[in-house]
Amino acid sequence: MRILAVASEIYPLLKTGGLGDVVGALPLALQQIGGASPAVEVTTMVPGYPAIMAALTDAIPIHQFDELFGGPATILQASADSLDLLVVDAPHLYARAGNPYLGADGREWADNGMRFAALGAAAAAVGRGIVPGLTFDIVHAHDWQAAMALVYLHFHNGPRPATVLTIHNLAFQGRYPAALFPRLGLPASAFGLNGLEFHGDVNFLKGGLAYADRITTVSPGYAREITGEEKGMGLDGLLRHRGDVLSGILNGIDDTVWNPATDPLLPARYSRGKLAKRAEDKLALQKRMGLEESPDALLIGVISRLTSQKGLDMLLDQLDAMVGDGMQLALLGSGEPDLEQAFVSAAEWHLGSVGCIIGYDETLAHLIQAGSDALLVPSRFEPCGLTQLYALRYGSVPVVSRVGGLADSVIDANEAALAAGVATGIQFWPATPEALQVALDRLQNLWRDKPAWAQVQRNGMAADVSWRRPANQYVSLYRSLLAAQP
Ligand code: ADP
């Protein structure tokens, strides 16, 4: 089975969030299922951003577009870090430094509609066999940046591969003024209530959702939530309509990159049986973040985009109480300037108890997972969430709001779960500062009960958060999709 995955990010070449992690890890996980004769082979098409172009080895041009949304483009076949890639080398669209979606002023690039329509058009062209000898059974598009591939395939006359769309976050939809539509090269019927049109605008994700053969999202909980008005982001009606082809598959994590026993980014490595070694990582983290070097202080880590989705404004409300209770905070994140500034000020105000680093730092993210006692993810909505999965693996007790993939991946340490020996973290609901406070009180009580705490840590570390189960679920989905083809 040959899959053409289409995405705007792929770890380790380029990542701004969980999307990149998943797109980077899934191909290998799928390949490993079949052993020597893999059941599934994945080639991933990505835009030729500078970070991607710089990482390519043995790139071969396999197709030339004389004109692709404003300039010539070449499809390169290449590999990088064991990934099989097709790269859309279109300098007029992608050869820009910095964030893939935003200019230096922090605003979306004005031509993002064209940039990601181009990715979709190129993927659809390859999917329908424009390159001799290169064929695919399934085109699997990830998120709005790739969704147009499915729209172009739908409106292509003639045979086409089967299609899957995975939603990593319904909040990002790729919505543009209707003036973009005539430039997309699609028939007028594509801009209708059952297609790309959304309140008078063009909506790329909606187009993908309308025309995909199968739709998945990254946890069963989120798959249920997005068919309701509260978390449906305006697309719940369409998602209910497509409910028979919608399912949730919880993400896994790359357990070779995220393994505390072998992690080269940690000062001290440890395993489930050698938890005492974590003390060295905690000390290193306290040093790095300017925190008091106290082994007994309950140290809470946060690694996050700083946006309202992630609920960290609630944490700001609780900081005084937390510090008053003797807890410490180590926060790494970037995002909305107001939130960044608020955490920087909090760190100055609570010197030695609150440490805050604004920016993106993969090495520090690993140290926070290994050196924190608990990891806080108080999201208002969360399609899957990866940081709580890394936390489970690293023995940092996750404290999460009960939404989407957070609810699906953490078992609350209530009395029954503690007694049964299955608890892995703490859940709270609703996503309010008051409920967060209750969760932090429960956390501190657990922290005081050292045997119970260690048991929760060990349960989390034993949980299977690898790609094995989800990869098998994707294979089943692909198989059932192909079996259903005429
Ligand atoms: P989302 O995709 O919504 O941002 P996820 O929890 O699914 O949230 O994935 C976030 C990923 O990005 C994780 O791998 C996390 O470690 C990483 N990450 C987020 N912020 C930072 C940061 N400031 N520095 C390093 N890694 C970060």
Side-chain angles (χ1 to χ4, degrees), residues 15-19 21 169 251 258 303-305 309-310 332-334 359-362 365 369 382-388 390:
K15 151 179 163 182
T16 70
L19 168 70
D21 282 325
N169 193 336
N251 285 335
W258 294 94
I303 305 158
S304 185
R305 290 186 292 117
Q309 174 194 341
K310 301 292 180 178
L332 166 65
S334 63
Y360 195 93
D361 185 335
E362 198 77 32
Q369 294 286 5
E382 194 58 77
C384 177
L386 292 175
T387 52
Q388 86 283 6
Y390 302 141

Side-chain angles (χ1 to χ4, degrees), residues 426-449:
I426 285 182
Q427 292 191 357
F428 68 93
W429 191 251
T432 58
E434 296 74 28
L436 172 61
Q437 177 62 53
V438 174
L440 292 174
D441 288 346
R442 292 180 60 210
L443 183 75
Q444 197 149 39
N445 286 337
L446 189 64
W447 173 247
R448 291 194 188 107
D449 182 348

Side-chain angles (χ1 to χ4, degrees), residues 43-167:
T43 301
T44 308
M45 178 177 277
V46 287
Y49 301 121
I52 289 182
M53 297 300 291
L56 302 183
T57 47
D58 58 36
I60 305 165
I62 57 165
H63 185 76
Q64 178 75 33
F65 294 98
D66 293 335
E67 208 282 334
L68 184 71
F69 289 91
T74 309
I75 296 187
L76 304 172
Q77 191 166 39
S79 55
D81 279 275
S82 323
L83 296 161
D84 289 328
L85 300 176
L86 293 178
V87 179
V88 186
D89 181 15
H92 63 293
L93 299 172
Y94 307 127
R96 302 171 194 179
N99 183 289
Y101 316 115
L102 312 174
D105 58 0
R107 290 168 184 242
E108 284 215 12
W109 295 110
D111 59 349
N112 272 357
M114 311 264 276
R115 297 172 78 219
F116 296 104
L119 177 65
V126 171
R128 61 171 200 262
I130 204 171
V131 180
L134 195 60
T135 58
F136 294 94
D137 303 298
I138 293 174
V139 172
H140 185 164
H142 293 271
D143 265 353
W144 69 270
Q145 302 95 328
M148 285 301 289
L150 309 194
V151 180
Y152 284 111
L153 281 170
H154 177 84
F155 286 98
H156 164 68
N157 291 322
R160 66 161 176 88
T163 57
V164 179
L165 176 64
T166 294
I167 307 165

Side-chain angles (χ1 to χ4, degrees), residues 132-262:
L134 195 60
T135 58
F136 294 94
D137 303 298
I138 293 174
V139 172
H140 185 164
H142 293 271
D143 265 353
W144 69 270
Q145 302 95 328
M148 285 301 289
L150 309 194
V151 180
Y152 284 111
L153 281 170
H154 177 84
F155 286 98
H156 164 68
N157 291 322
R160 66 161 176 88
T163 57
V164 179
L165 176 64
T166 294
I167 307 165
H168 296 260
N169 193 336
L170 195 62
F172 303 107
Q173 300 182 358
R175 188 171 166 176
Y176 303 102
L180 176 67
F181 183 73
R183 310 180 73 169
L184 297 178
L186 286 163
S189 60
F191 192 59
L193 202 60
N194 299 321
L196 283 168
E197 194 268 336
F198 186 69
H199 301 291
D201 290 340
V202 172
N203 183 319
F204 284 10
L205 187 70
K206 178 168 179 267
L209 293 174
Y211 300 124
D213 295 326
R214 292 279 194 283
I215 301 165
T216 73
T217 185
V218 287
S219 70
Y222 195 58
R224 282 190 299 276
E225 288 172 356
I226 57 178
T227 58
E229 206 173 316
E230 193 193 322
K231 300 218 168 61
M233 305 273 175
L235 293 173
D236 46 297
L238 174 58
L239 286 161
R240 280 194 296 279
H241 176 64
R242 304 238 52 208
D244 55 337
V245 297
L246 168 67
S247 61
I249 299 178
L250 193 70
N251 285 335
I253 64 171
D254 186 332
D255 53 10
T256 54
V257 176
W258 294 94
N259 179 355
T262 56

